[in-house]
Amino acid sequence: MHEPEFITWCRRRQHYGQETSSTTDWSTSRWRAYLAEYYRLTSLVDAQIGRLLQTLDESGRADDTLVVCTSDHGEGMAAHELVVKLMLYEEAAGVPLLMRGPGVPTGQTRSQLASGIDILPTLCDAAGVELPEELSGHSLLPLARDPRHPGREAVVTQLYPDTKDLHRSGRLVRSERHKYICFNQGDRPEMLFDLVADPGERQNLAGQPAGEAELRRHRVMLQQWMAASGDPFQPLCS
């Protein structure tokens, strides 16, 4: 309910800024076909990763090779009646991150926050290569080895739904429990979700008394990140 106007605009352009037919008139069978197509592509990628890992095992180099499997973005997956990647809901913003190799415990998961900018520092750390000073990411190997490692307080994601209009954008601040989304255009530009109590992201806490403290905290984290990174984003928030 009461989605930001920015999202309404994106719903009419569910293919990289182009005006396309909306999914609001999709039938149940069309949604099922879309999901079947996506799962088929996922199975195809999974099979190719299996070929790579098998070849690495057969070569005898698996024990001294760090393998990292991740992605640049997720897919709408029909959640909120969205496809592709043009929104910051969890289905598109959350991506897989799997590591296998020396120093990485097997069969374990970690719940700490991580970002794609951490991949290069992780590989440099594993290879014993000195990190370039300009990198803003952090090695993930300490988190993989020690579940008590504090990790990041938050990570930030940028959204540009129309590559022909880079002035239209949004930002996501993900902390351990909450997600804050802010846009630079349109009415109702903020969203705040408690991902523990509301994993489906259906209850926007922005503007509600229950979310006031976390809203202020996440606004500050966004401002700090913008100052540190030189991000020119101008959020619409009070």
Side-chain angles (χ1 to χ4, degrees):
M1 297 293 290
H2 309 299
E3 278 188 331
E5 188 178 67
F6 191 102
I7 300 180
T8 302
W9 183 89
C10 287
R11 285 187 182 280
R12 298 194 299 267
R13 294 162 173 80
Q14 293 208 50
H15 187 69
Y16 311 104
Q18 301 176 22
E19 190 79 39
T20 61
S21 60
S22 173
T23 59
T24 55
D25 61 350
W26 279 20
S27 64
T28 300
S29 60
R30 180 65 188 94
W31 280 113
R32 287 175 174 170
Y34 157 69
L35 290 173
E37 294 162 4
Y38 180 76
Y39 288 135
R40 181 65 187 91
L41 291 171
T42 303
S43 298
L44 176 63
V45 173
D46 186 58
Q48 302 312 310
I49 293 174
R51 291 180 59 195
L52 188 151
L53 295 179
Q54 180 179 358
T55 301
L56 188 60
D57 291 340
E58 292 172 350
S59 72
R61 300 304 302 271
D63 292 339
D64 64 354
T65 301
L66 177 65
V67 178
V68 180
C69 178
T70 187
S71 174
D72 61 337
H73 61 83
E75 178 78 3
M77 292 293 290
H80 302 271
E81 295 189 356
L82 290 168
V83 298
V84 298
K85 61 175 181 177
L86 299 184
M87 194 37 56
L88 293 168
Y89 287 122
E90 198 64 11
E91 288 74 20
V95 298
L97 176 58
L98 297 90
M99 297 193 296
R100 188 191 83 167
V104 179
T106 59
Q108 299 185 26
T109 60
R110 297 286 184 265
S111 62
Q112 293 101 327
L113 296 170
S115 171
I117 62 174
D118 297 328
I119 301 299
L120 179 56
T122 301
L123 297 177
C124 289
D125 186 11
V129 176
E130 184 176 354
L131 293 178
E133 294 182 359
E134 63 271 18
L135 291 184
S136 57
H138 306 286
S139 173
L140 298 173
L141 290 184
L143 279 72
R145 294 164 179 159
D146 184 2
R148 297 167 297 180
H149 192 283
R152 291 178 175 273
E153 180 184 12
V155 294
V156 177
T157 298
Q158 299 172 320
L159 171 68
Y160 296 94
D162 186 349
T163 56
K164 297 180 181 179
D165 181 12
L166 297 184
H167 296 292
R168 184 187 298 270
S169 61
R171 296 294 182 272
L172 155 65
V173 181
R174 171 66 195 274
S175 60
E176 181 178 2
R177 176 164 180 158
H178 292 83
K179 170 190 282 188
Y180 170 65
I181 300 174
C182 184
F183 304 110
N184 66 351
Q185 297 183 21
D187 295 335
R188 303 180 303 276
E190 293 181 293
M191 294 194 294
L192 176 70
F193 298 108
D194 182 337
L195 295 180
V196 174
D198 179 28
E201 299 172 283
R202 295 171 57 87
Q203 299 295 326
N204 183 8
L205 300 177
Q208 299 186 26
E212 185 176 343
E214 288 297 337
L215 186 65
R216 289 198 302 266
R217 186 170 77 95
H218 284 72
R219 284 173 177 171
V220 170
M221 287 192 288
L222 176 59
Q223 293 290 343
Q224 291 174 340
W225 182 85
M226 289 169 54
S229 64
D231 186 355
F233 180 67
Q234 296 180 342
L236 289 179
C237 59
S238 57

